[in-house]
Amino acid sequence: MGKVLIAYSTHEGQSAKVADFIAEVLRGRGLDATVSDIKESPDASPAGYDGVIVGGSIHMGKHDNRMVEYVRSNLEALSAAPSAFFSVSLSSHGEPEEAESYVENFEEQTGWRPDRVAMFSGGLPYTHMNFIMRHMMKKIVEGKPGSMDTDTSRDYVYTEWDGVRRFAEDFAAQLEPAGS
């Protein structure tokens, strides 16, 4: 059974949900998947795993500094095994070029070139935001492409779960021995 580490960083929790979903798909394919929040376990080493997936969300136009540092400090181990990266952002919902620029910036910051990259739409957890943040996010999304919702009395998830499943299945297939 192959071992896969899924290390992630999250702000509002959507990246954690994506990481957990990926882990379930991998487990369904017979892999041993470990999910690790970089914030809680910054020293979770990818060494010794057969594959590694790192992911996180965009906040204020960039990926979390903890995730950047995690990748920099584990670059050798990440480069030695099959690896993938997922980025979660509202830009993936309506502005794919912007979402791609976030990933390119992350790769430049870290020097890491994962085997696979995916960009997933995030969510708008309005009910979990304070008053100021809730109304700031409403103003931001009002002018954005992609038809995002502005009713701040509820939460919205734009993640396309079938795409997350395909990403995880493609990664699992990469770890399967030839002829399986």
Side-chain angles (χ1 to χ4, degrees), residues 19-165:
D20 288 338
F21 187 89
I22 290 169
E24 287 306 311
V25 172
L26 296 178
R27 290 176 188 132
R29 297 284 298 259
L31 296 167
D32 178 12
T34 301
V35 180
S36 179
D37 183 343
I38 293 169
K39 182 174 157 184
E40 294 175 12
S41 303
D43 298 327
S45 173
Y49 284 90
D50 301 307
V52 183
I53 299 173
V54 176
S57 59
I58 295 295
H59 209 60
M60 307 297 281
K62 62 182 185 170
H63 287 96
D64 185 69
N65 286 336
R66 284 183 292 253
M67 190 170 58
V68 170
E69 289 307 315
Y70 178 83
V71 169
R72 282 180 183 159
S73 9
N74 291 290
L75 192 55
E76 189 175 320
L78 288 169
S79 300
S83 63
F85 176 66
F86 69 87
S87 178
V88 178
S89 71
L90 287 176
S91 296
S92 292
H93 185 65
E95 299 173 294
E97 296 84 16
E98 187 172 316
E100 288 171 13
S101 74
Y102 295 142
V103 171
E104 289 168 5
N105 186 44
F106 178 77
E107 289 179 343
E108 286 174 24
Q109 286 180 294
T110 61
W112 180 42
R113 301 292 182 262
D115 301 321
R116 298 182 184 280
V117 173
M119 292 166 287
F120 303 124
S121 299
L124 282 168
Y126 286 123
T127 64
H128 301 275
M129 297 176 185
N130 66 39
F131 177 82
I132 294 169
M133 185 63 138
R134 188 169 44 248
H135 288 283
M136 185 173 77
M137 287 306 298
K138 178 181 176 178
K139 288 291 182 200
I140 289 170
V141 301
E142 281 176 337
K144 296 270 186 187
S147 302
M148 286 187 261
D149 298 283
T150 57
D151 175 357
T152 61
S153 68
R154 57 176 295 227
D155 298 334
Y156 301 93
V157 174
Y158 301 105
T159 306
E160 199 265 293
W161 295 108
D162 287 340
V164 178
R165 178 179 303 286

Side-chain angles (χ1 to χ4, degrees), residues 25-26 29 164-174 176:
V25 172
L26 296 178
R29 297 284 298 259
V164 178
R165 178 179 303 286
R166 283 190 301 276
F167 170 75
E169 288 173 345
D170 288 348
F171 188 79
Q174 181 181 356
E176 292 173 357

